[in-house]
Amino acid sequence: GAAHRYGLGVSTRIVQCRRCRLVFPNPFPHPRNAERLYGDPEKYFTGHHNETGKLRREKHLLQRLKALSGLAQPSLVDVGSGRGELLQAARLEGLADVVGLETSPAMIAYARDRYGLTLTSRTIEQYAATAGRTFDAVILNAVLEHVEDPDAMIAASAALTRPGGWLYIDTPNEPNLVTQVGNAVNRLRGSRAVFNL
């Protein structure tokens, strides 16, 4: 996307582990100025589920969590809450013990103005260091691929998940035909940009 074409992110190399063959960026890509990327919630989520569809999807996720956990009101942390749809769905599902973590001031303002939600402006690592408690579930819904240190995010998630609790991780499903074609075109053009991260 635009992040690598317009120099909004840090430069990175694509490497492969000789032992396990995992292909990964090093250093992990992240934006130089996060608010330039996430500062307009409407623009950022263009092309994603519409609000009604996203609320329906999040309600389904929460209903599934309740069924799997056997708890009528599981406690949860939503990491990278964005515009707050999961927390709004939690409210509609009757969940009361929920925490939303978000670092973008624009996303926090959107969730407050649109849904009346209060999001905590902290990373999961910062929150886990001071929370002093665990939760029934930690939700990483399309956020792991956005952070500079995924290992630290997973460690903080583990620290916040009670024994026997649930960690939900959703990430984009790449590579696919579109990313493979895009990478071939980039190579032909002499570009070092890679789509299949």
Side-chain angles (χ1 to χ4, degrees):
H4 69 266
R5 283 196 298 273
Y6 301 115
L8 299 177
V10 299
S11 296
T12 188
R13 296 179 319 119
I14 305 302
V15 297
Q16 186 172 37
C17 176
R18 288 184 178 139
R19 228 177 68 222
C20 74
R21 311 298 293 161
L22 175 69
V23 176
F24 61 95
N26 185 17
F28 200 83
H30 61 279
R32 287 188 181 117
N33 178 340
E35 206 53 21
R36 276 188 70 192
L37 182 59
Y38 306 116
D40 184 344
E42 294 295 334
K43 182 178 176 184
Y44 180 78
F45 285 104
T46 298
H48 289 75
H49 296 287
N50 64 32
E51 180 182 18
T52 303
K54 187 145 182 173
L55 282 170
R56 185 174 32 249
R57 179 178 173 259
E58 305 299 24
K59 283 179 76 172
H60 177 74
L61 171 64
L62 295 169
Q63 290 165 357
R64 184 82 174 123
L65 172 64
K66 290 193 308 188
L68 288 169
S69 69
L71 301 170
Q73 292 201 0
S75 60
L76 66 91
V77 177
D78 179 31
V79 182
S81 295
R83 297 182 301 186
E85 286 96 348
L86 186 128
L87 297 175
Q88 176 63 8
R91 178 187 288 167
L92 296 172
E93 283 295 304
L95 304 183
D97 189 6
V98 298
V99 173
L101 302 176
E102 177 58 56
T103 59
S104 166
M107 297 288 184
I108 292 169
Y110 186 98
R112 180 192 63 234
D113 297 344
R114 176 73 176 103
Y115 299 116
L117 298 169
T118 301
L119 304 182
T120 301
S121 180
R122 300 179 80 189
T123 66
I124 188 171
E125 296 86 355
Q126 293 166 335
Y127 186 76
T130 60
R133 64 168 291 196
T134 59
F135 293 82
D136 297 314
V138 174
I139 310 290
L140 303 179
N141 204 352
V143 69
L144 187 61
E145 69 276 12
H146 291 264
V147 300
E148 186 175 351
D149 189 349
D151 291 337
M153 177 173 270
I154 294 297
S157 298
L160 287 172
T161 306
R162 71 163 172 79
W166 295 86
L167 174 59
Y168 175 84
I169 301 174
D170 172 69
T171 59
N173 184 18
E174 297 181 19
N176 56 44
L177 181 59
V178 173
T179 60
Q180 291 171 355
V181 170
N183 289 335
V185 169
N186 275 346
R187 284 191 300 276
L188 289 172
R189 292 174 46 204
S191 172
R192 298 183 322 180
V194 177
F195 291 101
N196 59 340
L197 301 179

